Amino acid sequence: MAGPLQRLRQRRLRLGPPAAPSPRDRRQRPPLIGGSREARGGSGTCHGGVIATPKAEGADWLRLRGVAPPMLSADWSVREESDAGPGEEAPGTGGELSRSQVCGMLPELSRDGAFLQGHPHVLVILGASGDLARKKIYPTIWWLFRDGLLPDATRVVGFARSPLTVELIREQTLPYLKVTPEDGPRLAEFLALQSFVRGQYGDEASFRALDAHLRGLPGGDRAHRLFYLALPPSVYTPVTQHLRALCMGQGWNRVIVEKPFGRDLGSSEELSAHLSALFREEQIYRMDHYLGKEMVQSLMVLRFGNRIFGPIWNRDNVACVVLTFKEPFGTEGRGGYFDDFGIIRDVMQNHLLQLLCLVAMEKPASTNPDDVRDEKVKVLKCISPVELQDVVLGQYVGNPEGPPEAQKGYLDDPTVPPGSTTPTFATAVLRVANERWDGVPFVLRCGKALNERKAEVRLQFREVPGDIFAQQCKRNELVVRVQPREAVYAKLNTKKPGMYLRPEESELDLTYGSRYKDVKLPDAYERLLLDVICGNQMHFVRSDELHEAWRIFTPLLHQIEQRREPPIPYPYGSRGPPEADELLRRAGFLYEGTYRWVPPHGPDPHP
């Protein structure tokens, strides 16, 4: 059965006769990366995401596998079969695949030979008994293992205060692993790689025991070690201190930190200073899982890989940019955690601000992680702190006409403190004061218990000057739908079919479910965890980027907390407070309500 990443390459490949390398190939071929199938004497050779097996074994389909393996050797030639008919465009150049095509994943997912298939790796999950580990981290590691995307010599070690065993880990994670009957033998192999160490987060002896356990695994001290902090921020300080002092190996050592990265600028700076005193910036991976989503990563290609968007992606043509994150459910018993942060810290200051950067930034010099992040920081430096007059805050209340779960408001959640003024909805207008975007409002909207599940980027363009159609043409829009039903579509005006010259609003639609029918998009955590293993920090937040993000929102957050004014109530299942729509109108967004995009397969059955 094809795995989720296996279906990303929808090309049928066949092996051609062996071809000798050209002199140019001999000069450019990098050294083989240790631990490949070829180096181990296996029957298959891994070529940049494609495993080619000898033609004598009858392999017609090449299986997508790991990343950063050796390039094509002189003994292999990969050719492409095209299904294009006469006069049709073939999906590629035909003939031998170029090295860049075959190893297309190499530049993104491997840096300086960091991904070594045969080198021992240890993934240490601190907080192994928590929700994040059970629902996301263990399933992600399983999916990568199932699809052959982990280095071959990988071990997984859990660390927590709770008494756990491998069997308990299996029981707790199994509902989230998406295991099929055919996966049984593979799952048994995966569980055989697991182990667990019990300890206290502030106890030095516990971390000495963890280090002793890691030394006893294959590879010992020389294994690469990845520490995933699936922990509350309150214990980051003692845990990272003990890791640095007691648990560093001789290979690379990397640390994943999940958001929230502090509560405001001051606490974030304190955390950053603490981490930077222990680890180098290239060892720290601040994870915002939204940066691993397919459509978020597509924004760079959409912007900088298409000539048609360059001339219109500016203040002369764009009237307004709206970045939206909507959830159709409330806190669902987790209000105590949410109440400590609120919707601005939980979504707006990270997820939506990252989307804003990708929309507004200038073209980076390359796809090198620091080149990309440099441009994001430049955008953030052009944004002034958000003012309260440019914000609408809301808090959902029960809807007596809705289903049972909708009849309870935020304050009805027993885990929420009585009388809480924490907003569950926020709309804010930001402005980027640079040559490209000066005067264009960027509207960030996010909320819980709304009328639908949706995350999208929407650029609304200005009216066509010199209108000749008696104001019948609507504003054009380009929409990148992040979730659900991933899509890119453009709203435009066409002639309505018939006898008369009458404009009608329609769309150009790239819905991924229609265009890529057999492709199962990888989970965001899969991409990001693989990036960490490969040493690619492009989709992770850098310390100066984090500083600028908190600079923009900290004054607003402090003002909200000092005033403690009740947010505007809105019914569970609604669009949010009407005042938010009025703010959008004042900002320059024109909602005409004459057209609504419907996915090709009909409305989302699970909005």
Side-chain angles (χ1 to χ4, degrees):
M1 176 177 291
L5 288 178
Q6 289 171 282
R7 302 187 185 92
L8 288 177
R9 191 176 182 87
Q10 295 298 312
R11 291 180 175 180
R12 189 174 185 181
L13 304 174
R14 63 177 174 84
L15 293 173
S22 67
R24 177 182 177 87
D25 281 342
R26 291 192 186 100
R27 290 194 304 271
Q28 291 184 347
R29 181 175 297 123
L32 297 181
I33 295 176
S36 70
R37 284 180 177 267
E38 186 176 63
R40 295 193 307 272
S43 61
T45 304
C46 188
H47 303 304
V50 178
I51 288 183
T53 54
K55 190 172 183 182
E57 296 183 7
D60 289 328
W61 289 82
L62 301 184
R63 175 171 163 265
L64 184 65
R65 196 189 192 286
V67 291
M71 296 289 195
L72 287 174
S73 69
D75 298 327
W76 295 96
S77 172
V78 178
R79 297 184 183 276
E80 183 175 59
E81 282 186 355
S82 170
D83 295 326
E88 297 178 336
E89 182 179 353
T93 58
E96 289 193 9
L97 286 177
S98 70
R99 289 149 46 100
S100 61
Q101 285 175 303
V102 175
C103 303
M105 296 174 74
L106 179 63
E108 278 191 14
L109 298 180
S110 173
R111 296 184 56 73
D112 303 323
F115 190 87
L116 306 178
Q117 277 295 104
H119 193 93
H121 288 66
V122 182
L123 311 183
V124 183
I125 305 171
L126 296 111
S129 60
D131 276 357
L132 178 62
R134 181 172 67 253
K135 296 178 180 179
K136 278 296 181 184
I137 303 174
Y138 276 109
T140 296
I141 298 172
W142 154 244
W143 296 329
L144 292 174
F145 176 83
R146 177 195 62 193
D147 295 326
L149 291 169
L150 286 180
D152 294 331
T154 298
R155 295 293 184 274
V156 182
V157 179
F159 182 89
R161 293 174 295 194
S162 306
L164 279 180
T165 63
V166 172
E167 185 56 35
L168 278 175
I169 292 173
R170 178 186 183 279
E171 291 177 7
Q172 293 179 4
T173 60
L174 193 58
Y176 308 101
L177 297 183
K178 302 177 183 176
V179 176
T180 65
E182 295 83 3
D183 291 331
R186 192 72 171 150
L187 180 62
E189 294 177 33
F190 176 68
L191 294 173
L193 304 175
Q194 311 290 322
S195 58
F196 178 77
V197 176
R198 185 182 183 186
Q200 300 299 314
Y201 298 129
D203 179 35
E204 180 178 317
S206 297
F207 284 85
R208 289 191 184 278
L210 174 61
D211 182 58
H213 181 79
L214 298 180
R215 290 171 185 268
L217 296 175
D221 271 350
R222 70 184 187 89
H224 296 319
R225 296 181 180 182
L226 168 57
F227 300 95
Y228 200 127
L229 304 190
L231 298 166
S234 58
V235 298
Y236 280 177
T237 297
V239 167
T240 50
Q241 285 174 337
H242 289 320
L243 288 177
R244 182 67 183 86
L246 303 170
C247 297
M248 296 293 99
Q250 295 175 6
W252 55 247
N253 299 276
R254 294 170 185 160
V255 178
I256 298 178
V257 183
E258 281 267 0
K259 76 172 187 69
F261 313 115
R263 287 183 50 81
D264 55 15
L265 181 58
S267 58
S268 174
E269 292 285 89
E270 184 179 344
L271 177 60
S272 291
H274 170 77
L275 291 175
S276 64
L278 301 173
F279 306 101
R280 301 185 307 277
E281 181 65 28
E282 58 266 27
Q283 293 179 286
I284 304 169
Y285 289 74
R286 300 174 187 87
M287 182 182 286
D288 180 345
H289 77 274
Y290 242 62
L291 291 176
K293 290 188 175 291
E294 178 71 29
M295 301 311 297
V296 175
Q297 296 190 359
S298 289
L299 273 170
M300 275 191 59
V301 180
L302 185 71
R303 281 199 59 192
F304 305 122
N306 294 287
R307 180 69 179 265
I308 60 173
F309 293 125
I312 63 173
W313 208 275
N314 53 49
R315 63 191 299 270
D316 296 327
N317 297 281
V318 178
C320 186
V321 179
V322 181
L323 309 159
T324 301
F325 177 98
K326 300 170 73 174
E327 290 181 333
F329 49 83
T331 52
E332 298 183 331
R334 300 191 67 214
Y337 170 83
F338 179 85
D339 196 78
D340 196 36
F341 295 98
I343 196 69
I344 295 176
R345 290 185 178 93
D346 195 41
V347 177
M348 185 176 286
Q349 183 269 344
N350 39 72
H351 298 338
L352 293 185
L353 200 60
Q354 287 293 329
L355 287 176
L356 183 153
C357 289
L358 292 169
V359 171
M361 73 182 193
E362 297 298 316
K363 186 176 183 178
S366 71
T367 57
N368 176 278
D370 278 331
D371 287 342
V372 174
R373 296 190 293 181
D374 285 346
E375 296 303 330
K376 291 164 70 177
V377 171
K378 289 179 185 177
V379 170
L380 293 173
K381 287 183 174 181
C382 294
I383 302 175
S384 299
V386 185
E387 298 184 7
L388 193 58
Q389 65 189 31
D390 292 326
V391 177
V392 170
L393 303 175
Q395 187 183 89
Y396 71 88
V397 296
N399 183 352
E401 299 179 358
E405 66 273 11
Q407 295 178 14
K408 293 183 179 181
Y410 178 68
L411 296 179
D412 296 322
D413 186 330
T415 64
V416 172
S420 170
T421 58
T422 298
T424 61
F425 175 96
T427 295
V429 180
L430 281 64
R431 300 182 187 276
V432 181
N434 64 13
E435 185 177 7
R436 180 181 293 273
W437 296 111
D438 191 26
V440 178
F442 284 76
V443 183
L444 279 57
R445 302 191 304 167
C446 52
K448 302 181 83 63
L450 297 175
N451 60 327
E452 61 181 332
R453 175 175 177 251
K454 181 171 72 173
E456 68 176 24
V457 176
R458 183 178 297 263
L459 282 77
Q460 188 175 86
F461 294 88
R462 300 184 185 279
E463 292 86 354
V464 175
D467 175 42
I468 61 173
F469 296 107
Q471 297 183 336
Q472 295 182 74
C473 291
K474 311 302 180 185
R475 282 183 172 182
N476 298 142
E477 291 183 356
L478 177 66
V479 182
V480 178
R481 189 174 176 104
V482 177
Q483 67 181 27
R485 299 283 182 89
E486 293 86 351
V488 179
Y489 62 95
K491 294 170 66 173
L492 44 76
N493 299 288
T494 63
K495 176 188 173 296
K496 185 174 183 178
M499 298 291 291
Y500 303 101
L501 186 62
R502 181 178 303 168
E504 180 181 59
E505 195 172 20
S506 187
E507 85 278 335
L508 296 176
D509 188 352
L510 169 58
T511 296
Y512 273 47
S514 298
R515 175 63 179 83
Y516 305 108
K517 294 182 185 297
D518 298 323
V519 174
K520 184 179 185 301
L521 300 180
D523 182 83
Y525 277 83
E526 288 183 81
R527 301 176 191 273
L528 295 178
L529 186 57
L530 196 56
D531 274 349
V532 179
I533 295 172
C534 297
N536 185 350
Q537 291 186 304
M538 180 191 296
H539 306 300
F540 295 85
V541 181
R542 203 169 62 187
S543 58
D544 54 346
E545 190 179 346
L546 185 62
H547 170 90
E548 294 299 330
W550 279 118
R551 175 191 60 80
I552 293 167
F553 281 98
T554 291
L556 172 68
L557 290 166
H558 286 176
Q559 196 172 359
I560 292 170
E561 289 165 354
Q562 290 166 4
R563 295 169 63 121
R564 293 190 60 80
E565 293 182 359
I568 301 169
Y570 63 93
Y572 194 120
S574 67
R575 283 174 44 84
E579 289 84 348
D581 292 333
E582 176 61 22
L583 179 63
L584 255 74
R585 188 192 64 78
R586 294 201 310 269
F589 181 79
L590 184 58
Y591 178 72
E592 295 166 304
T594 57
Y595 178 86
R596 182 178 177 84
W597 175 74
V598 177
H601 300 299
D604 186 8
H606 304 290

